[in-house]
Amino acid sequence: SQQGEEDPQALSIQEGENATMNCSYKTSINNLQWYRQNSGRGLVHLILIRSNEREKHSGRLRVTLDTSKKSSSLLITASRAADTASYFCATKGSQGNLIFGKGTKLSVKP
Amino acid sequence: DGGITQSPKYLFRKEGQNVTLSCEQNLNHDAMYWYRQDPGQGLRLIYYSQIVNDFQKGDIAEGYSVSREKKESFPLTVTSAQKNPTAFYLCASSPQGFGDYEQYFGPGTRLTVT
């Protein structure tokens, strides 16, 4: 019952560069969430964007949502080594719970 | 310190044994969730509870059981019926259910069954 799917699966960049990851989903949504997971740790919530919003910012993070294309993107500007993690998008499933994609593994090299 | 805790961090068991993973939250959240994560994969929902004394099966409930006798606690038992129990287990909570709220995650328990 996977709803969201992130792209690319893996991304490797140099410190200071921007990182963009995408999420596509299948059914209509009320909101879409992005989470980060450091290796071997729990997930941390980053941003929730509602279906009537097109863009949202939080620090160096920028999330866009295009409901006509059923897609969202997460942009991390001026990346740091500490941004190395896996990033997941999540949308609401038919049972009302959150459904997570498989994630994008970001590696930021110093 | 408010948050969600899981214990233990690492757990080793022999095949055929049941094992219970602990999850406690002091955030006063109504909803709690258990997920399983396999290497390089996303999260798969095992069970969730939107209120005390009530819980629902997720996508992969077979071989698992839960209880929700207290608002703060949502333990997960991995039974011997679970065919491939070795995985990373994550517990989460949210103010209410229905996927409209951010979820707060615990640090996870890595279970190894040999």
Side-chain angles (χ1 to χ4, degrees):
Chain A
S1 60
Q2 188 176 321
Q3 164 77 309
E5 199 165 308
E6 293 87 351
D7 170 63
Q9 290 185 353
L11 181 60
S12 182
I13 59 174
Q14 295 292 134
E15 215 167 21
E17 293 179 341
N18 294 344
T20 299
M21 46 211 100
N22 304 296
C23 170
S24 58
Y25 57 91
K26 295 173 185 169
T27 61
S28 60
I29 57 169
N30 292 332
N31 64 67
L32 184 142
Q33 302 184 36
W34 283 93
Y35 288 79
R36 184 188 76 224
Q37 183 182 32
N38 289 82
S39 182
R41 309 288 289 272
L43 277 70
V44 174
H45 182 263
L46 296 175
I47 283 186
L48 182 153
I49 185 165
R50 303 198 183 281
S51 59
N52 61 352
E53 298 176 308
R54 289 295 167 260
E55 191 170 306
K56 204 162 182 180
H57 297 253
S58 176
R60 293 182 297 111
L61 307 181
R62 187 186 84 153
V63 168
T64 61
L65 179 64
D66 187 336
T67 52
S68 66
K69 294 181 179 177
K70 292 188 169 59
S71 69
S72 174
S73 68
L74 170 66
L75 168 67
I76 304 174
T77 59
S79 63
R80 305 166 182 168
D83 294 327
T84 294
S86 292
Y87 292 82
F88 296 88
C89 66
T91 55
K92 186 172 160 180
S94 57
Q95 292 176 288
N97 54 299
L98 273 185
I99 298 179
F100 291 81
K102 292 186 178 180
T104 291
K105 191 168 185 177
L106 174 66
S107 174
V108 181
K109 299 180 181 177
Chain B
D1 235 356
I4 181 164
T5 58
Q6 293 184 244
S7 60
K9 190 171 175 63
Y10 299 96
L11 193 52
F12 298 89
R13 279 294 183 271
K14 294 289 187 187
E15 204 172 303
Q17 292 179 335
N18 290 356
V19 60
T20 297
L21 281 59
S22 166
C23 177
E24 304 276 332
Q25 54 98 0
N26 61 3
L27 300 167
N28 200 33
H29 286 171
D30 283 327
M32 296 186 75
Y33 314 83
W34 274 105
Y35 296 93
R36 170 184 171 134
Q37 188 177 34
D38 292 286
Q41 300 295 311
L43 279 65
R44 291 187 289 169
L45 183 67
I46 304 172
Y47 268 98
Y48 65 101
S49 167
Q50 294 184 25
I51 200 164
V52 175
N53 292 322
D54 184 55
F55 49 82
Q56 308 294 329
K57 291 182 180 180
D59 298 321
I60 55 165
E62 187 175 345
Y64 300 97
S65 66
V66 293
S67 63
R68 186 86 188 276
E69 296 175 2
K70 297 188 298 182
K71 189 174 187 177
E72 312 81 56
S73 179
F74 192 40
L76 173 75
T77 296
V78 184
T79 75
S80 56
Q82 167 50 233
K83 294 194 180 353
N84 187 16
T86 294
F88 188 50
Y89 290 87
L90 287 160
C91 180
S93 70
S94 63
Q96 295 176 38
F98 303 109
D100 294 321
Y101 300 88
E102 68 176 271
Q103 292 188 7
Y104 295 73
F105 282 80
T109 291
R110 190 167 298 279
L111 174 65
T112 302
V113 177
T114 56

